[in-house]
């Protein structure tokens, strides 16, 4: 598995992955924030790829952002066929590394009605309730 920052060639595979992995409403919200994050700092959008049958497939994406010197996991999506195989863990690890390189004050999970069910997943990495931001309107990638 390769986990790396987003590149322009990842645009269509990432769009397809988000459409497949998220609800329509969540995908629309995510796509807008995704575009804003790319314009601010594309290094904080990471993709996971697997080579399958001599073809490289994008199987996961994580969108992070830094706002007011805090790092935020905004959205995490893994292709349904490849869940529970460590892809989400690898994406979180890569983003955490990028946040640490930027020396952010805190690392938080941005939670909304679409990601609430992901909180137990983030708890295994030490992101408990004190690391959850529920008012996403504060984030500039959401507010615009």
């Amino acid at each position: 598995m390769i986990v790396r920052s987003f590149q322009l060639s990842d645009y269509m595979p990432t769009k397809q992955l988000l459409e497949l992995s998220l609800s329509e409403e969540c995908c629309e919200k995510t796509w807008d924030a995704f575009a804003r994050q790319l314009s601010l700092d594309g290094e904080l959008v990471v993709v996971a790829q697997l080579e399958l049958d001599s073809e490289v497939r994008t199987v996961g994406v994580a969108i992070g952002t830094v706002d007011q010197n805090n790092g935020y996991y905004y959205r995490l999506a893994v292709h349904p066929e490849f869940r529970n195989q460590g892809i989400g863990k690898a994406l979180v690890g890569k983003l955490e590394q990028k946040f640490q390189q930027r020396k952010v004050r805190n690392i938080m999970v941005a939670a909304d009605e679409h990601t609430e069910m992901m909180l137990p997943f983030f708890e295994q990495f030490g992101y408990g309730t004190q690391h959850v931001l529920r008012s996403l309107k504060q984030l500039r990638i959401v507010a615009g």
Side-chain angles (χ1 to χ4, degrees):
M1 175 173 29
I2 298 168
V3 180
R4 60 167 175 74
S5 291
F6 180 89
Q7 299 171 355
L8 189 55
S9 61
D10 297 319
Y11 178 84
M12 283 309 294
T14 299
K15 185 176 190 309
Q16 292 166 348
L17 174 69
L18 291 173
E19 290 171 348
L20 180 67
S21 303
L22 306 174
S23 70
E24 186 176 332
E25 179 187 358
C26 181
C27 191
E28 284 179 30
K29 288 181 179 181
T30 300
W31 199 248
D32 291 341
F34 169 79
R36 286 187 198 103
Q37 184 56 42
L38 285 178
S39 70
L40 292 169
D41 185 354
E43 285 290 311
L44 292 176
V45 177
V46 295
V47 296
Q49 296 181 315
L50 292 174
E51 186 171 338
L52 302 162
D53 300 322
S54 301
E55 178 186 345
V56 176
R57 287 187 55 193
T58 299
V59 294
V61 63
I63 302 168
T65 192
V66 173
D67 206 328
Q68 298 181 14
N69 201 32
N70 291 311
Y72 295 94
Y73 296 101
Y74 173 72
R75 196 71 81 217
L76 178 69
V78 175
H79 190 291
E81 292 178 23
F82 298 96
R83 291 182 181 158
N84 300 310
Q85 296 181 28
I87 294 166
K89 180 179 181 179
L91 289 164
V92 168
K94 187 68 160 182
L95 262 183
E96 184 174 299
Q97 177 186 31
K98 289 180 177 291
F99 290 144
Q100 290 170 348
Q101 289 170 346
R102 285 166 173 73
K103 299 182 180 6
V104 298
R105 182 176 53 233
N106 298 301
I107 301 175
M108 310 280 290
V109 178
D112 61 12
E113 68 274 13
H114 305 291
T115 57
E116 194 72 29
M117 76 291 232
M118 293 291 299
L119 294 180
F121 172 79
F122 282 101
E123 284 178 6
Q124 68 181 320
F125 303 105
Y127 299 110
T129 55
Q130 71 275 21
H131 297 101
V132 177
L133 173 73
R134 284 187 163 62
S135 179
L136 300 190
K137 292 179 181 176
Q138 297 174 16
L139 294 177
R140 64 185 165 169
I141 67 168
V142 175

